[in-house]
Amino acid sequence: MSKISRDDRTIRTERAADVGSSSGAGENKRVVMTNVDNAPMIFADKVPVYGTIGDVVTTTLAAERPVGESISVSATVHLRLTRDAAKVLARSLLEALAMIDRNKGSSSLLN
């Protein structure tokens, strides 16, 4: 799990046992992030293409946009990920979705 700190521009990373080498599994390590303010924001509401090329996972993200009276789907980014990077991204996305679900549960308690 990673948490971004806006104050010091660092990210705390917990290494998972199934990613990378077995040495240092579960070890916490601080990594300094650079270029945080200049990194592009990528929006997507579709994942129309995914697959593999050898050991590399490939994915294309896309977004819908209105064009006149119809909707156009435009690619926003092509991702090429190693197997380990794809695992970390998948786990991160699942954890983020779980956070949304927990927040919905706690907000319904307030209403």
Side-chain angles (χ1 to χ4, degrees), residues 19 80-91:
V19 177
R80 303 293 182 260
L81 305 164
T82 64
R83 180 182 178 87
D84 289 344
K87 282 181 172 182
V88 172
L89 177 61
R91 187 179 316 113

Side-chain angles (χ1 to χ4, degrees), residues 3-99:
K3 293 185 181 177
I4 297 173
S5 167
R6 293 184 188 269
D7 300 329
D8 61 4
R9 296 288 192 227
T10 61
I11 185 168
R12 181 177 61 84
T13 303
E14 294 176 16
R15 296 184 61 180
D18 64 336
V19 177
S21 67
S22 60
S23 65
E27 162 189 320
N28 287 334
K29 127 183 187 184
R30 290 182 69 81
V31 178
V32 177
M33 292 178 58
T34 61
N35 203 33
V36 173
D37 295 328
N38 295 324
M41 177 70 67
I42 299 169
F43 177 81
D45 53 12
K46 295 198 175 299
V47 183
V49 179
Y50 61 91
T52 60
I53 299 173
D55 290 339
V56 175
V57 174
T58 65
T59 304
T60 299
L61 306 182
E64 293 181 343
R65 60 186 177 96
V67 176
E69 304 245 343
S70 62
I71 299 291
S72 173
V73 177
S74 300
T76 57
V77 68
H78 303 287
L79 299 177
R80 303 293 182 260
L81 305 164
T82 64
R83 180 182 178 87
D84 289 344
K87 282 181 172 182
V88 172
L89 177 61
R91 187 179 316 113
S92 299
L93 292 172
L94 290 172
E95 288 179 10
L97 289 170
M99 290 169 76

